[in-house]
Amino acid sequence: MSIDESKNVHTRLQVHNCVVQPLLTDLYQITMAYAYWKSEKTSDTAVFDLFFRQNPFQGEFTIFGGLEECLRFLENFNYSDSDIEYLKTTLPPTIEQSFFSYLKELTAKDVKLYAIDEGSVVFPRVPLIRVEGPLIVVQLLETTLLTLVNFSSLMATNAARYRMAAGDNVSLLEFGLRRAQGPDGGLSASKYAYIGGFDGTSNLLAGKMFNIPVKGTHAHAYITSFSNPSELKTKTLINLNSGKEQDLIDLTLSWRTTLSNLLHISESQASDGELAALISFAIAFPEGFVALIDTYDVNKWHFLGPKELPVISSFGSGILNFCAVALALNDLGYKAIGVRIDSGDLAYLSNKSRETFVKIAKEYNIPWFANLTIIASNDINEETIWSLNDQKHSIDCFGIGTHLVTCQRQPALGCVYKLVEVNGTPRIKLSQDGSKITMPGKKDAFRLYGADGFALIDLLKKSVEDPPLAKTKLLCRHPFDQKKRAFVVPSEIKPLYKVYWENGHIMQRLPDLKEVREHVKESLRSLRPDIKRNLNPTPYKVSVSDDLYEFMHELWMRNTPIGELS
């Protein structure tokens, strides 16, 4: 790693969450550490695998997130004086004082961490991280590493699913801070939503910390705080064409009367308070005017005129007032950005808004007006977006909060951290539940690609085995079902693990969030469409080599007690 890269890594790691520290763990990690220490196992070494057993959200892929946070944690791993004093008051008085001295000297310098690149598509049972080092130290890392990876990966996966549902041409904004699981959950949600494919966040602190674009408009409270344009203290705006101040209220009122006839919306149905709010906001942000247009009930429909042309009573208020202000701004040389709809039938209302914009664009020869942005933000979830797609909506941008940041469809990923080797001897955890049996020993992971360029299968091999070769027939076996096996001739093979931490240092250049975000896109493109589809996706296959299969099952049988009948 070059000096410049090393400086970059060091600088970025200074943005460290002070909550992520050795005491952010479960009590039983400390009690196990003492029992290890008491048993004189301080020189024992161990290997742990961090993995998950099932993809979230009824899907067949997961996005790996949280690696950089794990590396920050390792770099800052040490018990402070106040940590030690707290542990002395918490643990039983029988604890030997020299154990606390031992804890005070612990760091992660003797730990070695292998990992898959952050932002990669990953699958069940393939370890995301392999941790090697002193048994006591790597055991103490367990809970913290799990909390750093579990939510990050779940959040990035959720965001990626929203991105796939919305498509590439629709913007996605994360609006979830007020609904997130506390402030740290809100920051993490903003960060990993961006990694997963969102374009921006409303969260200012996340924008500052992670260089994420921040976006926002105004709330219903802003609209309802006004009663009439006459109350506005500031009424004028500089005309960019003439350089002179001009009364925006008079210009807007004139346009509202004109548009009332064009759009067949009664001017008496339009709220003067709403108009005042929009004029005020336009004066404040003439080059970034986005208006919330559904402050009042959007579901009441009326008929106007002898031809009984349908109009919307209060949505008509919002759309009429917005268009009047937008056209007034246009007269002064400014271009409005668009509207936000926060309630009602989003597909229908977005289409009616688009029809209105197109009609005005043609009537007054203002081409850009037809393409005003329509933002929707009404407690939207993934299924809502798929449904709106079926209804042929006209929405350009979704603002998504609760369902995204709380991952309501599935609250946890379920990553686990399992011991697979002690002092060079493989260990296996057995269970009556076959899904909870671990794969013992140090393993390397490889992704095999087919001739079509798509990922075909992941292969786990014992680390002492030779790596697989492309264009060579390989026997790939299901880890637990002896009948499921296949020969694979991959066109390309990519090893999945890199050494990310060794000798107390980060060993790889850490990409910034934009690079991780691009890697998510690239990694998802490597999957066949049927694996990524929303309904009944095809499971992606994870396999083991023949040597690993035989070794694992031999160890399984050796450690399974033999029953006795009498």
Side-chain angles (χ1 to χ4, degrees):
M1 185 163 52
S2 71
I3 294 176
D4 288 342
E5 288 175 334
S6 177
K7 287 181 179 178
N8 176 54
V9 167
H10 179 76
T11 299
R12 295 181 66 219
L13 288 182
Q14 300 313 301
V15 186
H16 177 68
N17 188 337
C18 63
V19 173
V20 181
Q21 54 182 285
L23 286 193
L24 186 66
T25 190
D26 296 308
L27 174 63
Y28 84 149
Q29 306 292 3
I30 298 292
T31 57
M32 281 192 291
Y34 179 68
Y36 285 143
W37 181 84
K38 188 71 174 173
S39 300
E40 300 184 1
K41 293 175 72 67
T42 56
S43 61
D44 285 13
T45 59
V47 179
F48 281 83
D49 284 345
L50 190 155
F51 61 95
F52 60 94
R53 298 188 177 105
Q54 187 173 356
N55 288 303
F57 311 117
Q58 299 178 332
E60 289 297 340
F61 72 87
T62 300
I63 303 296
F64 174 36
L67 176 59
E68 183 178 352
E69 301 285 351
C70 293
L71 298 172
R72 293 178 182 179
F73 171 57
L74 292 181
E75 184 167 82
N76 291 276
F77 182 86
N78 72 283
Y79 292 93
S80 67
D81 291 338
S82 63
D83 292 340
I84 298 300
E85 291 307 311
Y86 172 74
L87 289 174
K88 287 179 179 179
T89 64
T90 303
L91 295 173
T94 55
I95 299 291
E96 297 180 32
Q97 292 301 300
S98 52
F99 170 68
F100 296 110
S101 300
Y102 171 78
L103 277 186
K104 185 68 177 66
E105 299 303 316
L106 284 184
T107 69
K109 66 181 178 61
D110 295 323
V111 172
K112 190 173 184 179
L113 184 147
Y114 295 78
I116 299 174
D117 289 338
E118 186 161 9
S120 296
V121 172
V122 289
F123 302 98
R125 291 197 167 277
V126 177
L128 311 178
I129 294 173
R130 186 175 86 218
V131 185
E132 305 174 6
L135 172 60
I136 293 180
V137 178
V138 293
Q139 181 73 74
L140 286 168
L141 300 177
E142 175 181 6
T143 300
T144 316
L145 293 182
L146 284 173
T147 195
L148 292 174
V149 171
N150 260 312
F151 181 68
S152 302
S153 300
L154 186 72
M155 187 66 219
T157 306
N158 201 23
R161 292 180 62 87
Y162 275 90
R163 169 50 65 197
M164 291 193 303
D168 295 333
N169 298 322
V170 174
S171 296
L172 293 175
L173 302 177
E174 178 267 312
F175 285 173
L177 177 59
R178 64 187 60 196
R179 304 288 173 77
Q181 317 294 30
D184 192 66
L187 281 172
S188 295
S190 298
K191 177 179 180 180
Y192 292 101
Y194 184 68
I195 284 176
F198 274 60
D199 300 294
T201 178
S202 63
N203 186 339
L204 278 172
L205 184 56
K208 177 185 176 183
M209 291 179 64
F210 308 124
N211 197 29
I212 300 172
V214 291
K215 305 288 182 179
T217 54
H218 56 77
H220 293 289
Y222 187 81
I223 301 293
T224 58
S225 70
F226 290 83
S227 300
N228 193 284
S230 63
E231 70 185 81
L232 296 181
K233 301 294 191 295
T234 304
K235 302 178 181 181
T236 61
L237 193 62
I238 293 177
N239 186 321
L240 296 181
N241 302 312
S242 66
K244 297 179 180 179
E245 293 274 347
Q246 194 163 340
D247 192 310
L248 189 62
I249 297 176
D250 289 345
L251 193 55
T252 299
L253 288 171
S254 176
W255 269 116
R256 189 167 76 168
T257 299
T258 302
L259 288 175
S260 175
N261 295 323
L262 176 69
L263 303 179
H264 304 289
I265 300 175
S266 171
E267 196 170 2
S268 65
Q269 297 286 342
S271 165
D272 287 340
E274 180 180 59
L275 183 67
L278 298 189
I279 292 172
S280 171
F281 203 73
I283 290 173
F285 301 99
E287 295 179 332
F289 180 53
V290 180
L292 185 59
I293 60 172
D294 69 321
T295 297
Y296 305 101
D297 179 13
V298 300
N299 296 315
K300 293 180 181 177
W301 284 78
H302 295 270
F303 294 91
L304 176 70
K307 295 182 180 180
E308 293 192 335
L309 296 170
V311 297
I312 316 169
S313 88
S314 50
F315 178 69
S317 171
I319 199 71
L320 178 60
N321 283 331
F322 166 78
C323 291
V325 176
L327 287 171
L329 284 174
N330 178 67
D331 287 346
L332 301 183
Y334 303 95
K335 289 183 179 180
I337 302 298
V339 299
R340 179 162 73 96
I341 306 169
D342 194 46
S343 60
D345 186 331
L346 296 180
Y348 181 81
L349 296 175
S350 68
N351 289 332
K352 294 302 291 184
S353 296
R354 182 66 66 208
E355 289 174 16
T356 301
F357 299 153
V358 169
K359 186 173 185 177
I360 291 173
K362 290 180 179 178
E363 180 72 18
Y364 301 109
N365 192 26
I366 311 173
W368 62 266
F369 207 94
N371 300 314
L372 285 168
T373 298
I374 299 173
I375 304 168
S377 57
N378 181 25
D379 205 25
I380 293 165
N381 59 31
E382 186 183 338
E383 287 72 22
T384 303
I385 297 178
W386 287 113
S387 175
L388 288 168
N389 291 343
D390 291 338
Q391 298 172 66
K392 308 298 182 185
H393 67 82
S394 296
I395 297 165
D396 301 296
C397 176
F398 289 106
I400 304 173
T402 305
H403 293 276
L404 172 69
V405 303
T406 63
C407 299
Q408 283 194 351
R409 287 185 63 191
Q410 182 171 328
L413 177 58
C415 283
V416 293
Y417 186 83
K418 296 299 181 183
L419 178 68
V420 295
E421 185 177 291
V422 174
N423 296 330
T425 301
R427 293 289 192 266
I428 188 171
K429 174 186 177 296
L430 300 180
S431 172
Q432 291 183 340
D433 182 350
S435 66
K436 293 191 174 183
I437 297 173
T438 59
M439 287 189 274
K442 291 168 61 174
K443 300 167 289 295
D444 291 324
F446 303 86
R447 186 153 294 166
L448 281 52
Y449 292 81
D452 57 6
F454 288 120
L456 192 61
I457 194 170
D458 280 10
L459 175 65
L460 291 169
K461 295 172 69 79
K462 294 164 65 179
S463 293
V464 294
E465 294 185 64
D466 292 331
L469 299 175
K471 301 178 182 178
T472 302
K473 183 185 287 187
L474 303 171
L475 178 59
C476 297
R477 305 196 64 170
H478 188 283
F480 304 108
D481 190 335
Q482 63 178 345
K483 295 174 291 185
K484 293 182 179 180
R485 53 186 181 170
F487 285 112
V488 178
V489 182
S491 61
E492 182 185 3
I493 295 175
K494 291 183 180 179
L496 295 181
Y497 295 142
K498 295 176 183 175
V499 178
Y500 267 93
W501 176 269
E502 188 176 22
N503 298 322
H505 298 286
I506 295 170
M507 305 303 293
Q508 306 289 337
R509 173 188 171 275
L510 295 179
D512 61 29
L513 254 61
K514 288 185 178 179
E515 291 174 303
V516 177
R517 173 186 164 91
E518 286 303 313
H519 182 57
V520 171
K521 294 179 183 178
E522 177 186 350
S523 195
L524 282 169
R525 282 195 292 266
S526 72
L527 294 186
R528 296 195 317 267
D530 58 302
I531 295 172
K532 297 181 288 185
R533 67 191 174 204
N534 183 46
L535 294 176
N536 301 316
T538 302
Y540 182 85
K541 294 179 176 60
V542 172
S543 64
V544 298
S545 67
D546 192 49
D547 282 355
L548 178 54
Y549 178 88
E550 295 296 341
F551 168 73
M552 180 172 64
H553 284 261
E554 189 276 331
L555 193 62
W556 186 351
M557 295 303 296
R558 191 194 316 164
N559 284 273
T560 301
I562 299 174
E564 181 176 333
L565 300 177
S566 59

PDB file of all heavy atoms in Angstrom, residues 403-415:
ATOM      1  N   HIS A 403     -40.448   2.021   5.776  1.00  0.00           N
ATOM      2  CA  HIS A 403     -40.249   0.637   5.340  1.00  0.00           C
ATOM      3  C   HIS A 403     -38.809   0.364   4.932  1.00  0.00           C
ATOM      4  O   HIS A 403     -38.331  -0.762   5.055  1.00  0.00           O
ATOM      5  CB  HIS A 403     -41.188   0.320   4.171  1.00  0.00           C
ATOM      6  CG  HIS A 403     -42.630   0.310   4.559  1.00  0.00           C
ATOM      7  ND1 HIS A 403     -43.248  -0.794   5.114  1.00  0.00           N
ATOM      8  CD2 HIS A 403     -43.592   1.276   4.499  1.00  0.00           C
ATOM      9  CE1 HIS A 403     -44.517  -0.515   5.363  1.00  0.00           C
ATOM     10  NE2 HIS A 403     -44.745   0.738   5.005  1.00  0.00           N
ATOM     11  N   LEU A 404     -38.120   1.395   4.464  1.00  0.00           N
ATOM     12  CA  LEU A 404     -36.726   1.224   4.076  1.00  0.00           C
ATOM     13  C   LEU A 404     -35.816   1.119   5.291  1.00  0.00           C
ATOM     14  O   LEU A 404     -35.110   0.126   5.462  1.00  0.00           O
ATOM     15  CB  LEU A 404     -36.293   2.401   3.198  1.00  0.00           C
ATOM     16  CG  LEU A 404     -34.803   2.477   2.868  1.00  0.00           C
ATOM     17  CD1 LEU A 404     -34.398   1.346   1.940  1.00  0.00           C
ATOM     18  CD2 LEU A 404     -34.458   3.836   2.255  1.00  0.00           C
ATOM     19  N   VAL A 405     -35.844   2.126   6.161  1.00  0.00           N
ATOM     20  CA  VAL A 405     -34.836   2.208   7.221  1.00  0.00           C
ATOM     21  C   VAL A 405     -35.078   1.230   8.361  1.00  0.00           C
ATOM     22  O   VAL A 405     -34.137   0.869   9.074  1.00  0.00           O
ATOM     23  CB  VAL A 405     -34.719   3.641   7.761  1.00  0.00           C
ATOM     24  CG1 VAL A 405     -34.389   4.610   6.646  1.00  0.00           C
ATOM     25  CG2 VAL A 405     -35.973   4.071   8.498  1.00  0.00           C
ATOM     26  N   THR A 406     -36.314   0.793   8.546  1.00  0.00           N
ATOM     27  CA  THR A 406     -36.583  -0.185   9.603  1.00  0.00           C
ATOM     28  C   THR A 406     -36.609  -1.607   9.062  1.00  0.00           C
ATOM     29  O   THR A 406     -36.753  -2.552   9.839  1.00  0.00           O
ATOM     30  CB  THR A 406     -37.927   0.096  10.294  1.00  0.00           C
ATOM     31  OG1 THR A 406     -38.988  -0.044   9.338  1.00  0.00           O
ATOM     32  CG2 THR A 406     -37.957   1.489  10.885  1.00  0.00           C
ATOM     33  N   CYS A 407     -36.469  -1.747   7.736  1.00  0.00           N
ATOM     34  CA  CYS A 407     -36.497  -3.080   7.112  1.00  0.00           C
ATOM     35  C   CYS A 407     -37.692  -3.878   7.625  1.00  0.00           C
ATOM     36  O   CYS A 407     -37.552  -4.987   8.154  1.00  0.00           O
ATOM     37  CB  CYS A 407     -35.198  -3.831   7.374  1.00  0.00           C
ATOM     38  SG  CYS A 407     -33.730  -3.021   6.695  1.00  0.00           S
ATOM     39  N   GLN A 408     -38.882  -3.295   7.477  1.00  0.00           N
ATOM     40  CA  GLN A 408     -40.070  -3.873   8.104  1.00  0.00           C
ATOM     41  C   GLN A 408     -40.379  -5.296   7.637  1.00  0.00           C
ATOM     42  O   GLN A 408     -40.950  -6.080   8.392  1.00  0.00           O
ATOM     43  CB  GLN A 408     -41.271  -2.961   7.857  1.00  0.00           C
ATOM     44  CG  GLN A 408     -41.277  -1.727   8.743  1.00  0.00           C
ATOM     45  CD  GLN A 408     -42.601  -1.007   8.745  1.00  0.00           C
ATOM     46  OE1 GLN A 408     -43.495  -1.314   7.962  1.00  0.00           O
ATOM     47  NE2 GLN A 408     -42.747  -0.031   9.613  1.00  0.00           N
ATOM     48  N   ARG A 409     -40.031  -5.624   6.411  1.00  0.00           N
ATOM     49  CA  ARG A 409     -40.327  -6.981   5.932  1.00  0.00           C
ATOM     50  C   ARG A 409     -39.496  -8.035   6.652  1.00  0.00           C
ATOM     51  O   ARG A 409     -39.885  -9.195   6.735  1.00  0.00           O
ATOM     52  CB  ARG A 409     -40.065  -7.087   4.424  1.00  0.00           C
ATOM     53  CG  ARG A 409     -41.102  -6.393   3.558  1.00  0.00           C
ATOM     54  CD  ARG A 409     -40.829  -6.645   2.098  1.00  0.00           C
ATOM     55  NE  ARG A 409     -40.926  -8.049   1.752  1.00  0.00           N
ATOM     56  CZ  ARG A 409     -40.513  -8.556   0.577  1.00  0.00           C
ATOM     57  NH1 ARG A 409     -39.964  -7.771  -0.325  1.00  0.00           N
ATOM     58  NH2 ARG A 409     -40.644  -9.839   0.333  1.00  0.00           N
ATOM     59  N   GLN A 410     -38.314  -7.648   7.139  1.00  0.00           N
ATOM     60  CA  GLN A 410     -37.463  -8.565   7.892  1.00  0.00           C
ATOM     61  C   GLN A 410     -36.539  -7.745   8.777  1.00  0.00           C
ATOM     62  O   GLN A 410     -35.674  -7.026   8.279  1.00  0.00           O
ATOM     63  CB  GLN A 410     -36.648  -9.457   6.945  1.00  0.00           C
ATOM     64  CG  GLN A 410     -35.783 -10.459   7.692  1.00  0.00           C
ATOM     65  CD  GLN A 410     -35.151 -11.473   6.772  1.00  0.00           C
ATOM     66  OE1 GLN A 410     -35.720 -11.839   5.753  1.00  0.00           O
ATOM     67  NE2 GLN A 410     -33.961 -11.941   7.116  1.00  0.00           N
ATOM     68  N   PRO A 411     -36.691  -7.839  10.079  1.00  0.00           N
ATOM     69  CA  PRO A 411     -35.960  -6.939  10.981  1.00  0.00           C
ATOM     70  C   PRO A 411     -34.503  -7.298  11.218  1.00  0.00           C
ATOM     71  O   PRO A 411     -33.763  -6.481  11.762  1.00  0.00           O
ATOM     72  CB  PRO A 411     -36.758  -7.051  12.285  1.00  0.00           C
ATOM     73  CG  PRO A 411     -37.371  -8.412  12.231  1.00  0.00           C
ATOM     74  CD  PRO A 411     -37.681  -8.665  10.788  1.00  0.00           C
ATOM     75  N   ALA A 412     -34.059  -8.502  10.847  1.00  0.00           N
ATOM     76  CA  ALA A 412     -32.661  -8.883  11.107  1.00  0.00           C
ATOM     77  C   ALA A 412     -32.197  -9.867  10.045  1.00  0.00           C
ATOM     78  O   ALA A 412     -32.982 -10.659   9.516  1.00  0.00           O
ATOM     79  CB  ALA A 412     -32.517  -9.505  12.494  1.00  0.00           C
ATOM     80  N   LEU A 413     -30.897  -9.796   9.733  1.00  0.00           N
ATOM     81  CA  LEU A 413     -30.329 -10.714   8.742  1.00  0.00           C
ATOM     82  C   LEU A 413     -30.004 -12.068   9.367  1.00  0.00           C
ATOM     83  O   LEU A 413     -30.197 -13.107   8.739  1.00  0.00           O
ATOM     84  CB  LEU A 413     -29.073 -10.090   8.127  1.00  0.00           C
ATOM     85  CG  LEU A 413     -28.306 -10.955   7.126  1.00  0.00           C
ATOM     86  CD1 LEU A 413     -29.205 -11.373   5.962  1.00  0.00           C
ATOM     87  CD2 LEU A 413     -27.092 -10.193   6.596  1.00  0.00           C
ATOM     88  N   GLY A 414     -29.519 -12.070  10.579  1.00  0.00           N
ATOM     89  CA  GLY A 414     -29.230 -13.346  11.241  1.00  0.00           C
ATOM     90  C   GLY A 414     -27.829 -13.858  11.018  1.00  0.00           C
ATOM     91  O   GLY A 414     -27.591 -15.075  11.012  1.00  0.00           O
ATOM     92  N   CYS A 415     -26.856 -12.945  10.836  1.00  0.00           N
ATOM     93  CA  CYS A 415     -25.468 -13.404  10.718  1.00  0.00           C
ATOM     94  C   CYS A 415     -25.032 -14.082  12.019  1.00  0.00           C
ATOM     95  O   CYS A 415     -25.465 -13.703  13.107  1.00  0.00           O
ATOM     96  CB  CYS A 415     -24.539 -12.221  10.445  1.00  0.00           C
ATOM     97  SG  CYS A 415     -24.563 -11.615   8.750  1.00  0.00           S
TER      98      CYS A 415
END
